[in-house]
Amino acid sequence: MTRERSGLPSVGSVRNVFTKGDSWVPSTSLFRKDADGDHWYEGTLDEIAHTAAGAVLVPPIASVFEELEQVRSAVGYALPGRSGADVLVVALELRDNLPPEDLTTVARHLPEPPAIIHVVEKMPLSSVGRPLGGVVRAAGVDLTLPAWRYVKGEYRGLTRSTLDRLVKQQPTQA
């Protein structure tokens, strides 16, 4: 254990990682650095999906869909795919109807479009108002609500048979 200038103990901190004199605490948090040199939190190592196209950090993918005015909230997660790779999924709580063409427009700007996008009636939120991806994931894709599959560069309606072909384990929904 070392002591910082403030006198508070610092456990596991490292110095001189990026620049001389800096101090960092190793964690599973992932950041991006912008053009101004500022660091922005993007997610954690646990939020990486290992898709057929490679590793994808899920939160930034989901957040892009929140830019659509019809979307109140979005959260992303991975499901185990039948191919052995993760299936990238985004759940949306909507304010208004959302045509799949709008989803396709957004997805075309992403490095890895979600394989599945589905609607939830009400997004479960943490005490600080963040979507609870684990709760949404555990609930499964409810096909009584709108759901789409990304195929051949566009979103099309998701059917039970397609969902079953893509995903290994899916909680039972109507």
Side-chain angles (χ1 to χ4, degrees), residues 109-174:
H109 300 287
L110 295 172
E112 175 77 10
I116 296 170
I117 297 179
H118 68 100
V119 172
V120 296
E121 282 189 37
K122 184 80 173 150
M123 185 69 70
L125 302 174
S126 72
S127 60
V128 294
R130 297 197 62 188
L132 295 170
V135 173
V136 174
R137 182 184 190 274
V141 177
D142 182 351
L143 293 176
T144 64
L145 297 170
W148 304 273
R149 160 79 168 119
Y150 194 72
V151 59
K152 297 183 181 179
E154 66 181 4
Y155 282 98
R156 299 179 186 169
L158 178 66
T159 64
R160 169 61 56 198
S161 62
T162 300
L163 181 61
D164 291 343
R165 278 196 316 268
L166 289 172
V167 177
K168 272 187 188 176
Q169 301 163 344
Q170 165 66 25
T172 305
Q173 289 280 344

Side-chain angles (χ1 to χ4, degrees), residues 25-85:
V25 177
S27 72
T28 63
S29 297
L30 300 169
F31 295 82
R32 71 175 165 82
K33 188 174 179 180
D34 68 14
D36 296 328
D38 297 323
H39 291 82
W40 294 90
Y41 177 77
E42 292 287 304
T44 67
L45 290 175
D46 293 339
E47 295 173 305
I48 294 176
H50 299 279
T51 70
V56 178
L57 186 58
V58 177
I61 299 293
S63 69
V64 170
F65 291 94
E66 289 181 325
E67 295 176 17
L68 293 168
E69 62 185 59
Q70 301 99 318
V71 175
R72 181 180 318 280
S73 185
V75 69
Y77 58 94
L79 290 174
R82 290 208 180 269
S83 69

Side-chain angles (χ1 to χ4, degrees), residues 74-96:
V75 69
Y77 58 94
L79 290 174
R82 290 208 180 269
S83 69
D86 288 335
V87 175
L88 183 57
V89 181
V90 169
L92 307 172
E93 179 184 342
L94 300 180
R95 290 185 175 100
D96 200 358

